[in-house]
Amino acid sequence: MTKHLLLEQATTGDGGTTDVLLADGRIAALGPAAATDQRAAGADRLDLAGYLLLPSAVEPHAHLDKALLARRAPNPDGDLTGAITAIRAAYASMDEADVRSRATEALSTALTHGYTAVRSHVDVGTGIGPRALRVLTELRSRAAGLVDLQLVALAGAPIAGAAGRHNRRLLAQAVELGADVIGGAPALDPNPTAATRVLVRAAADAGLPVDLHLDETTDPQMLTLRAFADEVARQGLGGRATASHCVSLGQQDPDGCKEVCRALADSGVAVVTLPQTNLYLQGRAEPTRTPRGLTAVTPLRDAGVTVAGGGDNWRDPFNPLGRIDPFETAALLVAAAHLPVADAWTAVTAHARIALGLPPVALLPGSPADLLAIRASGLDEAVAGASQDRIVLRGGRVVARTSVVHDVVPALEKEMAA
């Protein structure tokens, strides 16, 4: 158990300020009751005047094994095919020490920026096998008190039929090594629908959730989401199934889109949209009337589907950008998916938690004390400005803090004031 901690004068979402008492890893009391609670007498105190206090962020879709590889594994064409080619060529250089170093750096950055839970897909197919997964299971154990790390075994292709035997064996090995979730990219298989069914059944057989890369294309003819929803319902995986990317859903006619959205809602499938990577990769073949590389965020939400937002690739061949920052993802969802700021933040917090099967966090007594304080007067300023001045709490204790000093040349300051 951590020592009790009293957060003083924190700004809340409604613009007011409050004290918050943290005890035994949870929020014990808020407002006047926090300071008068007997546990506050011996508590440490943290002045949060000028900071907005929020639930901590959750990254529902990352690739820690590939993180920070962009310079070493360039993708000159900038498209998905080029990225896949580049990462496969980089496998030989991705030894355990290399994966450990890059993944640790990326995960540390994520924590500093406010993520207290991360789901990372990890390649386990031909060419790399269990090497990266083995390293990341060790990192998961080392980071357990700081970040809740979920590992998705990203199966290689092909996975279906006789040609997929080797990759199915590697996937089974990944489960034995401790993968938390079954994953894969059915579009890379000669028969995407068959691959989708194989992977969902593998998850059901292993008693694990499933999270697939689906329909990562603006081609409306590629649509395996309906088959995924049907198989999830058939295998009883509702509430433990996630479809990531789902770009081609945004290219369907309105009625067809609504029908698929209803099927996803009925089967209990969450959707993770990944704005930065998909805006970067998709639509390059169409220089005019370029399709937007996003799923149908609004129709999905209207249908009652849980829609989470993720960063996906952090500076690798699939995306040379990525600040590993929930405020960056939220800002992209505002600009590209036209979500209100509050809904965009929900996508990287509450909805991401639902997608990962994590308990909810809120500024309420009894909630887990996984919190993020950022210097801002409100959520609009926090998402727009993304100040690096942040304090991250996990289980009621401070696990990361970044302080920012702004120093303006005195003469310039006078000029600006004139």
Side-chain angles (χ1 to χ4, degrees), residues 16 29 40 71 87 91 94 104 123 242 305-306 308 323 331 354-355 385 392:
R71 187 176 298 170
I87 199 64
Y91 279 163
M94 293 167 58
T104 300
D123 288 10
T242 303
V305 176
T306 294
R323 294 197 296 269
I354 293 170
V392 185

Side-chain angles (χ1 to χ4, degrees), residues 173 213 223 252:
Q173 187 178 1
H213 290 57
L223 188 67
Q252 305 302 311

